[in-house]
Amino acid sequence: MNQAISITMLDGVINRTIETVETSKSQIFEIAENARQEGNSLKHDLHELRQEIAKVISKVDELELSYRRARARLVLVSRNFQTYTEEDIRIAYEEANRIQVELSIYREREDNLKKRRNDLERQLRTLEETIERAEKLVTQMGVVLGYLTGDLSKVGEALEEAKQHQLMGPKVIQAQEEERKRVAREIHDGPAQSMANVVLRSEIVEKMLKNERILEAQMELHELKEMVRLSLADVRRIIFDLRPMALDDLGLVPTLQKYIQTYEDRTKISVDLVVFGVEQPLKSSVKAAMFRLVQECLNNVEKHSGASMVQVKIEFQENTLRLVVKDDGIGFDQAAQKAKGGSYGLLGMRERAQLLEGTMELQSSPGEGTKVMFQIPVKF
């Protein structure tokens, strides 16, 4: 009875929490969308402002040249008063003075426009940071909702099993992978926000066509087509990174081969994949975890190592799966890294390995490259 009451109370708490999180997620998403729209408007204003600044700078250069010539004319007339009349001197003086006044006005306008440009750029950076933080919060809340919207009828059993660390690790990883599947489907089905810039550029083309600026419109359309192509490729890459569908269909090794080929094409870093033993059927959570470990290692190589070559070794043993990733990069001082609090990426990989009851070892020193070794217990 007490257990039933506890589960009922927990059910109510979770339902209220779900409602609060869903509401907050929607509000944050709305904030991100509004910020994105405002950012697109700022980009458009900034583009026009930069064009105006370029015109003003050109005018300032022109006036400076005219002013120098007018000054030279005034000096010439003033020094040769016997040759030139008083009227000539007056005209030369007034012309120099007129150009000087106009030059001062345009210089002041240039300064004001540049200040406005700097303000817009600061506002745009702030909006982009707001969007990035909002998107991270939405993703994190999506993960929380994934946990909370599970089968509540198994809450009592799940709480009991939570005492057993070896069962919790795979459940956490599986929940993470399920969330990645959901996010991948959402991005695939409706990447509307990623096309906001396309809408803006389309409006620009429309204005060009109305003004019969055909050649400029054709150039803009060419850039627009390339932008859409790149956006589509980026969306497909994000979907693959979130959840490679080939993991379930083809297995770990073929999926890694495909990922490494794409990685080599993108980074120009050579990756040698070596497999020892015969690939055995693995649990979905284990395959996903191993793929993420390789992915994170290669991401670290790309971002920090400066390496030109990486070797990835996978060994299928009787009850163990071993993974070694070694690069020929610049390496780093492990003691100094630890003193700074460690790397978030390395901590994440270590935690993922521990959730699978495995281990992670790291070998690195300045100028000697980096070697990361994982050993994961498995049952085929």
Side-chain angles (χ1 to χ4, degrees), residues 203-351:
E203 292 175 353
I204 295 175
V205 173
E206 186 178 9
K207 291 180 181 178
M208 290 178 176
L209 291 174
K210 286 181 180 179
N211 295 328
E212 297 184 355
R213 296 158 59 187
I214 305 300
L215 183 58
E216 294 180 33
Q218 288 176 341
M219 295 175 63
E220 191 73 21
L221 282 172
H222 178 74
E223 294 181 5
L224 186 61
K225 182 172 67 174
E226 185 63 22
M227 184 187 305
V228 173
R229 184 182 295 110
L230 292 175
S231 297
L232 180 58
D234 193 40
V235 169
R236 287 173 175 168
R237 178 185 58 79
I238 292 172
I239 293 172
F240 181 81
D241 288 345
L242 285 170
R243 175 65 191 188
M245 301 304 175
L247 270 177
D248 297 324
D249 300 331
L250 304 178
L252 177 62
V253 173
T255 304
L256 284 176
Q257 289 172 336
K258 180 180 178 182
Y259 174 74
I260 287 173
Q261 182 179 357
T262 303
Y263 177 88
E264 288 180 320
D265 293 340
R266 177 170 55 84
T267 64
K268 308 307 178 186
I269 299 174
S270 176
V271 182
D272 181 24
L273 176 63
V274 181
V275 180
F276 296 97
V278 180
E279 180 176 0
Q280 301 293 332
L282 298 171
K283 292 182 179 180
S284 178
S285 58
V286 176
K287 287 189 292 187
M290 296 302 295
F291 178 84
R292 298 299 173 199
L293 290 174
V294 174
Q295 188 180 45
E296 185 64 31
C297 285
L298 292 180
N299 285 341
N300 286 340
V301 170
E302 178 186 359
K303 293 177 182 177
H304 308 297
S305 74
S308 60
M309 182 173 295
V310 185
Q311 185 180 64
V312 179
K313 293 196 296 185
I314 300 177
E315 183 176 357
F316 293 90
Q317 298 180 343
E318 185 175 354
N319 294 311
T320 306
L321 190 60
R322 295 186 72 251
L323 168 65
V324 179
V325 181
K326 181 180 179 181
D327 67 66
D328 63 351
I330 60 175
F332 62 92
D333 188 332
Q334 294 188 68
Q337 182 73 264
K338 188 175 182 180
K340 293 179 182 178
S343 163
Y344 179 79
L346 293 176
L347 292 175
M349 289 192 293
R350 191 179 299 278
E351 180 181 355

Side-chain angles (χ1 to χ4, degrees), residues 73-240:
R73 170 68 178 173
L74 179 60
V75 170
L76 176 64
V77 171
S78 299
R79 288 179 178 177
N80 298 278
F81 59 90
Q82 294 177 344
T83 305
Y84 295 94
T85 66
E86 189 173 70
E87 179 67 14
D88 292 332
I89 296 174
R90 184 186 64 79
I91 292 174
Y93 174 80
E94 289 179 352
E95 178 67 11
N97 186 63
R98 182 190 65 78
I99 295 175
Q100 184 181 25
V101 171
E102 188 176 3
L103 178 59
S104 298
I105 292 173
Y106 270 90
R107 281 175 175 168
E108 183 178 1
R109 185 179 179 186
E110 179 184 352
D111 291 340
N112 292 334
L113 288 174
K114 286 182 176 180
K115 289 178 182 178
R116 185 183 170 197
R117 179 200 61 191
N118 294 338
D119 289 339
L120 286 179
E121 288 176 343
R122 282 193 294 270
Q123 292 177 35
L124 186 59
R125 285 195 296 270
T126 301
L127 281 174
E128 289 173 345
E129 291 172 0
T130 300
I131 292 170
E132 183 178 358
R133 289 195 296 268
E135 289 175 344
K136 287 181 179 179
L137 283 174
V138 170
T139 301
Q140 292 169 357
M141 286 187 171
V143 174
V144 173
L145 284 173
Y147 293 146
L148 295 178
T149 54
D151 189 352
L152 296 180
S153 64
K154 298 182 179 179
V155 169
E157 178 183 354
L159 291 174
E160 183 65 26
E161 290 177 345
K163 299 176 183 179
Q164 305 177 24
H165 177 72
Q166 65 273 22
L167 295 181
M168 277 302 293
K171 286 183 178 295
V172 172
I173 293 175
Q174 183 177 0
Q176 291 174 337
E177 293 308 313
E178 290 296 326
E179 174 59 18
R180 286 190 174 93
K181 286 182 180 179
R182 186 189 65 79
V183 175
R185 285 194 296 268
E186 288 183 354
I187 296 176
H188 181 71
D189 292 340
Q193 60 272 21
S194 66
M195 302 304 293
N197 200 26
V198 173
V199 175
L200 177 63
R201 300 290 289 270
S202 299
E203 292 175 353
I204 295 175
V205 173
E206 186 178 9
K207 291 180 181 178
M208 290 178 176
L209 291 174
K210 286 181 180 179
N211 295 328
E212 297 184 355
R213 296 158 59 187
I214 305 300
L215 183 58
E216 294 180 33
Q218 288 176 341
M219 295 175 63
E220 191 73 21
L221 282 172
H222 178 74
E223 294 181 5
L224 186 61
K225 182 172 67 174
E226 185 63 22
M227 184 187 305
V228 173
R229 184 182 295 110
L230 292 175
S231 297
L232 180 58
D234 193 40
V235 169
R236 287 173 175 168
R237 178 185 58 79
I238 292 172
I239 293 172
F240 181 81

